[in-house]
Amino acid sequence: MGAVVLAQGAGEKHPNDAPAFHITAQAVAVDVVVTKAGGEPAMGLLQRDFTVLEDGKAQAIDFFEEHSAPAEADSASPSLPPDVFTNRPAAASDTGTALLVDELNTAPQDQRTMFGAVEGFLESLPPRSRIAIFILQSRLELVSGFTTDVSGLQAAMRRQKATALPAGARGLQEDVEDRMTAALFAKSGAQHAGGEGVAAVQEADRTERTLAALEQLARNTAGAPGRKNLIWFAGSFPVSLFPQGDEAHSGRYRDGSEQGIRKAAGLLAESKIAVYPVSVLGVVNSVSSEAATRIEEVHGGDIVRADEQQNLVRNANTAAMERLASETGGQAVYGTNGLKGATARILGDVAQYYTLVYTPASKRPDGKFRRIEVKVDQPNLKLAYRRGYYGGLAANSDAQAGSDPLPSLLFPGMPPATQVVYEAYVQSAPRPANAAPAGGNAKLSGRVMRYSVNFTIPPSGLSLEAAANGTQVGMIETAIVAYDEEGKKLNWAGGMTNAALNPASYEAAQRSGLMLHMEIDVPSTATTIATGVYDLGGQRAGTLEIPARPAIPPASHATSSKPEESAPLSGADEEATSPTPGAEATPAAPETAPLSQPEHPTRTPDPVLVQRPPAPKPAAASAVREGHMSLDVVVNDAAGKAVRGLEPWDFKLLDNARSSKILSFHSYDGATVRPDPPVDVILVVDELNLPFTQVAFVKSELAEFLRQNGGHLAQPVSIMLLTAEGLRIQPRPSVDGLAQLDLLNQIKGHISSINPAMGSEGALERAQISVHQMATIAENEAKKPGRKLLIWVGPGWPMLQSQAFRFSETDRRQYFNVIVELTNRLREARIVVYSVSPEDSSMGGGPSRSLLYKSFLKGVPTEQQADIGDLALKVLVSQTGGRILGPDNDLAGQINQCVAEANAFYRLSFDPPHADHADEYHDLEVQVNQPGMMVRTNTGYYNEPPGN
């Protein structure tokens, strides 16, 4: 921990600047929440009321401050010149309470409960509460930044909940976990036997990912002053930050986890974050001894032993929660009832606390744990504060350990890291003729823009050390990554600067900042530029995502060409940089050339990928820029054949019946220009809703499809099997039809536990399982680039009507939430749904029933209009631009008709208008100015206000 440096940013003073504590190895700052017996804050205490001990020895308090609830501050962004961007927090009120929704450490069957707990917390929020939401899956992602818009937060959580894995589902999530585990074993070369080895690797991986998420979250919130609360919703809590008893370290973790624990603990302390773990499992009563005796007499001891084991697990989790809360100054919460009662207390802890600063006797950065104890000379008061710290690490420990946090902070959509505050002046122009490429993507070709980025960094935010002759030295890393709208890396650049400032340069830098210069080539398909700065001496990071500039259109009309290929950002393609000896960085001058430029690319490896790497899209033809929303459009003539060769001016896009400008246009004819990555075909065999007598026939038809052309499939195909037990999938898409057939033959049919004999209840359950699994598929496919054809093989789930069931307002609200999320998720995943089904005389119902879905094709603007019929398979087919084929026993022919539409389509983009409220429905229609044409695409979407 360390010295308290009261630092102001360089250059112009900002009204929202507040003194910032930079903790090194000289002083320790401790925030203390003091409450009375009833839980209300105890304010008005004085410095003399407190005693601080480190390792049992009393410490002199050097600084004392009482914090009370501040007046609401204006959160307007700082005023900046044109083309200048900053990650400086707008105001102290821009932080408060962050929610961490942890799917990684929560079992699939408990995730719905977790989302319900989060919704309950949001409903109980008092006005003007500033909340942010993060979600942890394989890595940390931002759901919503800090805001007081509760309705927007609730809408964001509904989108997440609608795609949560339903209880009992097998397939997508566990398949990903299996592949990640295999990759981890391959990476470490570990040998294992049985389930214990797999479980150990998975537990170690979860611990590592959890620690990385805590580090990243701390870096994101470090730049804003004041205490922050982290409410962590999870089923289990696999990390403990501090050792127990007289231990020198935690002792729970092997390999490099101890280093990660220390780093996470230090970052949480520096960012002034207190953790409030919330168990989504609640409190379950154990079996009484009398009841256990009766159970054992009837069923033996298995149930009792299982209950005892469950109690042991629950008790261990409770202890982990209590310890984590105590270590950071938070409070453990059990179940949703406990959370509702603690909401006011948690939010109050952000604003009402005391800060104590002391200088410890031992200043050695030896990494040893040092215990803190705070006492108050008042009766009946409860104190919450962090219980210790590690005595510092070597200044370049990240470099020594080969750990670089910057790459993990430069994903698109992440909030800015604010440990290092900086400004970025961005200019762009066409790349000069004969200029050498700028960036790490050696395969980048075609027309690009040359971006020039000047980073201006206040020296007070860097850990510079005094060297000979009064020179201030430090090591600074800078990086830039360009992304397209699908999150694919297009190009990247980075380097290390060995800054050496003589006294005169350092004094000038204090006034105007330290400037570092970088250049990178960016394709016209880029939508965002992620920039980052990492101070190796202080192990602090700053990041900022900047919108890409519109490309200057070419002088002549551009024609489609073969898509460019880009190399993956991996350690195999780049060499790690080393500091440049003697490189000198000097302060920025307003109108001078760049003063320091990194000379070598940095090594920025990707994490383990669990889906195929993204591939580029064809360059836009005469498009100024890509719009924020894109549509895949299929055009057929009266005979049903694909219409090729249309131009942008042949199309008209209507959004809620109003003409919307088409910003980009891509044409794929399936012959000279094909989509890259290839269009995936997903075959869903719906055993859940197929009559058992037809399952064998359906599989024989699938076999015929897979054997055609000697097993050489036209498109990559994956097969999924839907049963009452959940969804099972094959490992990955493949064009080897015979290999796919072998997998299909290994799956044995069975009689579904949910069947028509169960009546309306069984029908409702089949519909709910089917819709949930459709959402699960959409969620997984949204993480992969490219277009997908989802061919549903079977009659689909029952076409239910609300007249046959009694649905409450709550039911309708839930159906509306699912409609919103499924509609948007299918579009975002670029999924077109097709329905193919065999003939079945036993189904009955007649033509009128088979056309019942048409009464639900219109969009659903409000929850009062929501009906379970709006989620019928044929409705989803129509709304995604697919086709309904059958019933016909030529299933192989039906599938071929669907696959024939894979490669001939158009892709348009546009900017949706601003929404006035959450979940605002917009009707979409694409028209072609030629007679007799049939146009199919997404028929609507749900929009959100800015900032949601």
Side-chain angles (χ1 to χ4, degrees), residues 689-711:
N689 297 295
L690 272 168
F692 181 73
T693 54
Q694 286 197 323
V695 171
F697 169 74
V698 168
K699 288 186 176 180
S700 67
E701 287 292 299
L702 287 178
E704 180 180 341
F705 167 75
L706 296 171
R707 288 194 193 99
Q708 62 188 353
N709 300 321

Side-chain angles (χ1 to χ4, degrees), residues 598-778:
E599 298 182 1
H600 304 287
T602 56
R603 181 175 183 269
T604 51
D606 275 349
V608 177
L609 295 177
V610 295
Q611 66 260 5
R612 66 172 180 272
K617 303 183 301 182
S622 67
V624 175
R625 67 173 177 84
E626 294 287 333
H628 290 93
M629 189 170 291
S630 299
L631 299 173
D632 292 328
V633 182
V634 174
V635 183
N636 298 113
D637 60 17
K641 296 181 178 180
V643 177
R644 299 172 172 85
L646 297 177
E647 298 292 344
W649 48 83
D650 293 321
F651 290 84
K652 183 177 182 180
L653 174 62
L654 300 178
D655 187 322
N656 275 348
R658 291 188 173 185
S659 180
S660 183
K661 182 179 179 180
I662 297 174
L663 297 178
S664 67
F665 177 84
H666 306 265
S667 175
Y668 303 91
D669 60 12
T672 59
V673 181
R674 295 170 65 90
D676 189 359
V679 176
D680 278 351
V681 174
I682 304 168
L683 292 174
V684 179
V685 184
D686 185 5
E687 284 196 11
L688 175 65
N689 297 295
L690 272 168
F692 181 73
T693 54
Q694 286 197 323
V695 171
F697 169 74
V698 168
K699 288 186 176 180
S700 67
E701 287 292 299
L702 287 178
E704 180 180 341
F705 167 75
L706 296 171
R707 288 194 193 99
Q708 62 188 353
N709 300 321
H712 299 290
L713 301 177
Q715 303 294 137
V717 173
S718 58
I719 299 176
M720 304 185 182
L721 181 68
L722 176 64
T723 69
E725 285 69 41
L727 191 68
R728 298 183 61 186
I729 70 171
Q730 65 180 73
R732 59 186 60 83
S734 173
V735 294
D736 187 345
L738 299 181
Q740 300 286 51
L741 181 58
D742 288 341
L743 291 173
L744 184 64
N745 290 335
Q746 294 173 19
I747 302 174
K748 296 182 179 180
H750 65 284
I751 299 176
S752 175
S753 59
I754 308 172
N755 53 65
M758 297 173 65
S760 59
E761 290 185 4
L764 181 59
E765 187 173 358
R766 282 188 288 136
Q768 290 173 334
I769 292 175
S770 303
V771 171
H772 284 320
Q773 298 299 351
M774 176 75 82
T776 302
I777 295 171

